[in-house]
Amino acid sequence: MRHMAQRIGFIDTNFEMLVLTEEAFLAEGKEFDADVAIVIAVRDVEVAEQLQKRYLQNVPTLVSFDSAPNFETRLGSLKVKPVDQVEKMLGSFPGSKRKDAMKVLSLVEEAWERKSSDDVRFALLVLIDSYVTPVTLLKNLRATSLASVQCMVKNCRSQILSCILDPNCRQALNCLQSCAPTDQVCSYRCIVSYESEKLEAFTLCVLQKHNCLGLSADILMQPDVQPMKLFRGNPVTHEIAEDLFIGWLGRPNPDSLATPLKYSWRVVAGQNAAYDQFPCQFQIFYRGKAKGSMWYDPVFQVQTLDGKLVWRRRHYRVKRDVVPGTFYFTVLDNGVISKEFWRIVDVKDDLSWGLFYYSGAAAAAGQSYTGAILVTQDGSWPPESEAIRLNSALDKCGIKVWELYRVNNAGCSNPPLSIPEGSSLHSVIT
């Protein structure tokens, strides 16, 4: 939670989050002035009673997780737990404050139960956004759809009809309807499970071309992660940085020297709960036929929501930014354009491992996101001797090693790895 306090600060420097153990809290001996209090794993009933009556009684929003059952739940000074049957019945009426509060609580509890750092941060931001002050990152939770239907019918009638009449596309829409507007984990799982040409045509028209939902999002620039400055003792240039991305592609396979590798890197672990946790991730970076062009094709497996195991592939355009080691990526992902700012944080001299950080936004979908990926040649974790350097690289990104999702690299047979004919690879690094 101390790390969550740091991550909350990346969203807005005006947000202040104090983290105390129950012993330290009781030792303070005074009532705390706060907008929100979150209690975690305080299981002693007597301590819970003492905390509530002496220190937290005037905090308007109080939520507890994995704690004693006698903790109240208050949202904006409204007690939502425990309640009697009459209060519960009154809360079911349309427009009821209690009904709205229960929706917020359900969203917070569902995110908390997923137990990832991104989801815990999301739960905290929902409470701040709902009961303290609007959070820019979550502005699309408040988006209204009064004019959305008119926009869709006017501009995208044929794409909507085509999607609704197709069972797979209709399943995708039903799945997406169950997700909160800013819940990237839920929405991307739906997209990769049911992606199709009809779904792409639908989202391209409704979201990307006409922005019928009125959504927007910007690339998050905090934390300000700096790229590596030196490689093998020399200043990193644009050419060196591109070669670092291209990595192992076309180089001899250590396990079979006669066969060159068909990928740049394999992902060992990633930080983003929505995008970095898929099994069997292969990265393919290559220079295009046109002068100065570069492309990135990630290939990964998906266990779909209906139980199938399928391969997915994306196609990004890569452009250098001003500082060597920084790049802008653009991709059309199922009808929605995502723009990302990537930084090469560190790569070992022998190319045994690397760490890349990215922050991005799918503006038409109203989603901003960040992430980091740890890569090696064979997908195995770097040796323990690299722990200090790896942790230092992660610290530059504001990430702890326990936040990373370990990628399952077993059973990755027959991945669709290829690059267009005429593409070029390394230019500087041997």
Side-chain angles (χ1 to χ4, degrees), residues 400-411:
K400 301 299 182 185
V401 70
W402 50 262
E403 293 184 272
L404 299 180
Y405 287 86
R406 190 71 179 265
V407 172
N408 180 3
N409 281 316

Side-chain angles (χ1 to χ4, degrees), residues 280-293:
C280 300
Q281 296 181 48
F282 296 84
Q283 292 189 314
I284 306 174
F285 289 92
Y286 54 95
R287 292 182 170 92
K289 295 179 184 179
K291 183 178 180 182
S293 66

